[in-house]
Amino acid sequence: REGFKHGQGVYRDANGDMYEGQFANGVREGLGNCVWKNKESFSGIWNNDKYIEGEFYDAEGQKYQIK
C-alpha cells in the first residue's frame, strides 16, 4: 500500500532502535532482527509488529527461546 513499508527493509527509530527484515502494510511481519536502544535484541519471526518465535537476548546477554 502506498505510504506503508512493504517488503524487505531497514528501519531506524529516532530513539536508537533498529529493525532489519520484512514488513507488510507498514508493520514488522515475517523474518526480522531488532536491536533496541537498551541493548536487548530479537531475531526470528514477527507477526503484526510483535515477535512470536525466535531468540531474544536481554541487555545482559542472557538468551531466551521464544515460541
Side-chain angles (χ1 to χ4, degrees), residues 54-66:
E55 296 178 346
F56 176 86
Y57 289 86
D58 67 18
E60 288 78 40
Q62 179 68 42
K63 177 180 167 181
Y64 301 89
Q65 241 0 84
I66 307 294

Side-chain angles (χ1 to χ4, degrees), residues 40-54:
E40 293 178 339
S41 66
F42 175 79
S43 179
I45 301 171
W46 295 75
N47 183 29
N48 198 29
D49 219 32
K50 297 181 179 127
Y51 57 83
I52 60 168
E53 186 175 338

Side-chain angles (χ1 to χ4, degrees), residues 1-18:
R1 294 176 20 190
E2 190 171 327
F4 289 99
K5 292 175 185 59
H6 198 83
Q8 190 73 21
V10 176
Y11 176 74
R12 288 183 176 82
D13 196 309
N15 69 7
D17 297 344
M18 194 271 301

